[in-house]
Amino acid sequence: MATSSVDAPILVVAALGRELARLRSAMPSGVALLETGEGVLNAERNLETWLARGPARAVLSIGFAGALTGSLKAGDLVIAREVRDAPAKPDTSLLQAAESIGLTGSTPRFGLAVTSDEILWQAESKRKLANTLNPNEIGFVDTESTAIAGVCGRRGVPFLIVRSITDLLEEDLPLNFNLYRDSEGRVDSNRVLKATLLKPSAIAALLELRNRSELCAKRMAGFVRCLVPFIDRVY
């Protein structure tokens, strides 16, 4: 029997398993999870494959991101009102629902999603991209948002893109993670480990990044759990 749109799940999409871990451990009712892998190609291919098998009432894209605005701090939630270079825009009803949510410890902010083919691991690269924003515009950079917007736009699926900030505008990541991506664009954790052993000075910063990632995953999971009841009333 075909699944009706009413019976279809809310699909929460993220590039990495650890971005979904807090939701997976306590799955909200009516929610399905999809780990796509990093990058536009992985996100587009895997989301297309999932949606080809059945409908989703809405797609919520969550994940980690780099700040393009100096006022953004680690753990901040930013919701995209617009995705640069994408033909589709985040759903108006989902944006209105997100605006009504109050979270303890982190009030969501709204701004622009910018997608990069590479992981912007240096502050200099983030500053250069930040200079393309409008004055006083809030922005973040990731490697998947245009793919999510493109697939959902083509299929007519309402979507929302939510990111939590792991690295600030004026700081470098501890390693150039682009050097450790495989042929499909995924960061190989074994290669990262080997690189860390050759650069012990990066260990403290990597541990800090892991701690921030845990905070970000917790806040995104809390946001999704708060948003699901609103989606249930709208879609």
Side-chain angles (χ1 to χ4, degrees), residues 26 35 38 47 55 62 86 116 120 125 129 136 147 151 154 159 192 196 203 205 214 221 233:
E35 179 185 345
E38 301 101 311
L47 181 55
I62 67 172
S116 171
L120 298 189
S125 299
L129 193 56
N136 301 318
V151 172
R154 288 192 296 273
F159 71 94
V192 171
T196 304
I203 293 175
E214 287 292 324
R233 289 198 287 270

Side-chain angles (χ1 to χ4, degrees), residues 104-158:
T104 302
S106 180
T107 301
R109 301 175 73 177
F110 293 80
L112 176 69
V114 183
T115 304
S116 171
D117 291 331
E118 292 193 339
I119 298 167
L120 298 189
W121 70 285
Q122 291 180 307
E124 180 182 1
S125 299
K126 286 182 285 187
R127 284 195 296 267
K128 185 179 295 186
L129 193 56
N131 288 335
T132 68
L133 271 61
N134 294 325
N136 301 318
E137 187 170 31
I138 302 294
F140 62 80
V141 59
D142 64 18
T143 57
E144 296 86 27
S145 285
T146 55
I148 302 301
V151 172
C152 291
R154 288 192 296 273
R155 289 186 168 272
V157 180

Side-chain angles (χ1 to χ4, degrees), residues 30-214:
V31 169
L33 305 180
L34 174 64
E35 179 185 345
T36 64
E38 301 101 311
V40 166
L41 293 178
N42 285 322
E44 185 173 64
R45 179 178 64 248
N46 289 306
L47 181 55
E48 280 279 13
T49 299
W50 197 99
L51 292 174
R53 294 171 180 160
R57 277 186 289 154
V59 169
L60 304 181
S61 172
I62 67 172
F64 306 144
L68 296 179
T69 304
S71 61
L72 291 174
K73 306 302 181 187
D76 281 355
L77 292 175
V78 188
I79 299 164
R81 292 193 186 278
E82 182 180 354
V83 182
R84 179 177 286 180
D85 299 326
K89 291 188 176 182
D91 183 73
T92 301
S93 294
L94 294 179
L95 284 169
Q96 290 174 345
E99 288 174 347
S100 68
I101 293 175
L103 295 175
T104 302
S106 180
T107 301
R109 301 175 73 177
F110 293 80
L112 176 69
V114 183
T115 304
S116 171
D117 291 331
E118 292 193 339
I119 298 167
L120 298 189
W121 70 285
Q122 291 180 307
E124 180 182 1
S125 299
K126 286 182 285 187
R127 284 195 296 267
K128 185 179 295 186
L129 193 56
N131 288 335
T132 68
L133 271 61
N134 294 325
N136 301 318
E137 187 170 31
I138 302 294
F140 62 80
V141 59
D142 64 18
T143 57
E144 296 86 27
S145 285
T146 55
I148 302 301
V151 172
C152 291
R154 288 192 296 273
R155 289 186 168 272
V157 180
F159 71 94
L160 191 69
I161 291 175
V162 184
R163 296 291 182 265
S164 193
I165 301 300
T166 49
D167 53 291
L168 309 185
L169 176 63
E170 296 294 342
E171 66 181 4
D172 296 342
L173 290 172
L175 294 171
N176 179 1
F177 292 103
N178 297 293
L179 299 176
Y180 316 115
R181 299 173 84 173
D182 63 20
S183 59
E184 293 190 341
R186 295 173 182 262
V187 176
D188 187 324
S189 58
N190 290 326
R191 295 177 67 187
V192 171
L193 177 59
K194 291 177 181 178
T196 304
L197 294 176
L198 295 173
K199 188 182 178 184
S201 60
I203 293 175
L206 285 168
L207 290 174
E208 171 62 19
L209 185 61
R210 185 182 68 178
N211 291 337
R212 290 183 185 182
S213 297
E214 287 292 324

